[in-house]
Amino acid sequence: MNRTDPIKRFHIDWSDLWAGARGGLRQHPEALARSIEALWPSPGRALACLSVRSGLDLMLSALELPVGSEVLVSAITIPDVGRILKEHGLVSVPVEVDYDTLAPSMSELERLSGSRTRAVLFAHLFGARVNLSPLAEFAQRKGLLLWEDCAQAYVGDDYSGHPKADVAFFSFGAIKTMTALGGALLSVRDPSLRDAMAQKQARLPEQSSRAFRAKCVKYALLKSATHPLAYGALTAICSSINYPRSALLSAATRGFSDANLLAQLRLRPGAPLLSLMHRRLTSGCGDSVLARKALGDRMRERLGVSFRVPGAHADYHSYWLFPVLAARPNDLCQYLEARGFEATATATRLGCISASENHPEAEAPTTRAWMSQVVYLPVYPELGEDRFNQLCAALVNYSSGSSN
């Protein structure tokens, strides 16, 4: 049977899935939430939520910014961020992101900020972490709120958000590091804002325990399907019926559908989810993140000048995803798939946010251009040394033109 190594492996053990399916019995969600929040390195700041999207919606509901207020947003984010901002009457203004450092363009921030600007929302990408001190100084000088999206940057207690960020968002969604198949922790600097958000969340309906347990079963099946041999069989089946495997898995791992988005977000986390979050947070992820980082550094060194790696000069990189830039992304994906490695340009819902009608000049053309060349590679410790070497060799051969 042919082997195919998937683009990512779920960062969760079988014992965690079993614990999630049976967790939270006879436990109160409020008590579980308090115990989780007490674990956070910044005392008194943490708020447990259903998801980062839910936390963003809660924060905006509590702040009640004037309709038409503008938010400077990293050009690369998920579409739901723009949708949630729009639902609250806010205008997203995309800001260029440098591919080499993944930092925002400070000159673009200066150019695009204006009298209606109220906040900056910056997203750390691919597992890299940017030094936000220049951005924090900019926000303070302009009198703007600073929101830090750390959904892809969680590496345990090592980082709990920039000290000057007004709110930092951390995700434990299905494909994230230390996944709890959902859930988020927000670090909120202003105690009165945190309390207002907590009060609003307390009035929301509770997440269905049955639905979360069904989710644990679904991800047990998906975890089985991402074993290289099982994934090879899935690849063969999808190819035989001319169905894109990436579309199948993308749909299976999406946390929220496009329809009625806010109704899905406006729930408070239930006991099973909170129980699994507590278990994951107390088990730690240091060794696995260090192993992934070491492998990512090795891959970057092995590729040398063969491929440009976004974030290669970021202040810190844990390689939650490993992207490279390719002039012909589809050709590279097909070449690697023929050798048993999944590579894709759609590993996540990340993309370039569109400019608003109010700011047609904020198209972030440079960021849009390099993002159109991104290909995500399967680089993680479970790959094994032999397959890692085979992947490196295949990439170097492709780059040198000796792929035939």
Side-chain angles (χ1 to χ4, degrees), residues 87-342:
E87 289 285 351
H88 287 270
L90 306 180
V91 177
S92 303
V93 182
V95 177
E96 295 271 23
V97 176
D98 179 70
Y99 87 86
D100 208 22
T101 64
L102 300 178
S105 166
M106 298 307 298
S107 61
E108 284 292 280
L109 285 165
E110 293 282 359
R111 182 177 74 88
L112 295 170
S113 64
S115 60
R116 300 178 70 88
T117 309
R118 294 291 180 271
V120 183
L121 173 55
F122 175 76
H124 299 283
L125 299 170
F126 312 135
R129 194 166 70 225
V130 172
N131 177 8
L132 286 196
S133 292
L135 184 54
E137 291 169 8
F138 165 83
Q140 186 172 29
R141 174 165 49 85
K142 295 281 187 176
L144 306 178
L145 296 167
L146 176 58
W147 304 329
E148 184 180 8
D149 182 353
C150 305
Q152 299 180 19
Y154 179 72
V155 290
D157 293 343
D158 180 66
Y159 187 72
S160 57
H162 192 279
K164 291 189 178 179
D166 292 284
V167 182
F169 301 83
F170 293 83
S171 174
F172 301 90
I175 60 173
K176 299 297 193 300
T177 300
M178 290 297 288
T179 175
L181 306 184
L185 274 172
L186 278 57
S187 181
V188 186
R189 188 165 62 149
D190 182 353
S192 62
L193 175 60
R194 187 214 168 275
D195 291 345
M197 293 168 63
Q199 290 167 16
K200 284 182 175 293
Q201 180 169 249
R203 294 193 289 269
L204 296 176
E206 187 177 322
Q207 175 194 34
S208 164
S209 294
R210 178 178 296 181
F212 184 76
R213 292 189 171 105
K215 194 176 194 179
C216 291
V217 174
K218 181 181 84 168
Y219 277 94
L221 296 173
L222 288 171
K223 182 176 173 67
S224 299
T226 56
H227 183 280
L229 294 180
Y231 206 67
L234 178 63
T235 298
I237 292 169
C238 288
S239 297
S240 69
I241 60 175
N242 198 29
Y243 187 87
R245 180 197 59 239
S246 58
L248 176 67
L249 289 179
S250 176
T253 56
R254 283 186 63 180
F256 302 96
S257 63
D258 290 333
N260 302 315
L261 176 64
L262 290 185
Q264 299 172 71
L265 301 183
R266 289 174 175 170
L267 298 171
R268 68 180 191 273
L273 168 58
L274 292 167
S275 177
L276 184 54
M277 282 181 66
H278 188 275
R279 175 186 172 93
R280 300 313 314 276
L281 282 165
T282 52
S283 64
C285 62
D287 290 345
S288 60
V289 168
L290 287 175
R292 189 179 70 194
K293 175 173 171 45
L295 194 69
D297 286 340
R298 285 179 59 201
M299 172 62 82
R300 195 180 68 196
E301 291 170 6
R302 291 279 292 272
L303 292 181
V305 297
S306 300
F307 287 92
R308 293 179 294 167
V309 179
H313 292 92
D315 296 284
Y316 174 87
H317 209 320
S318 68
Y319 305 100
W320 175 69
L321 286 172
F322 196 103
V324 295
L325 303 186
R328 297 182 299 278
N330 289 337
D331 288 355
L332 177 58
C333 291
Q334 291 172 11
Y335 171 79
L336 290 175
E337 187 156 322
R339 286 149 182 81
F341 297 102
E342 181 183 35

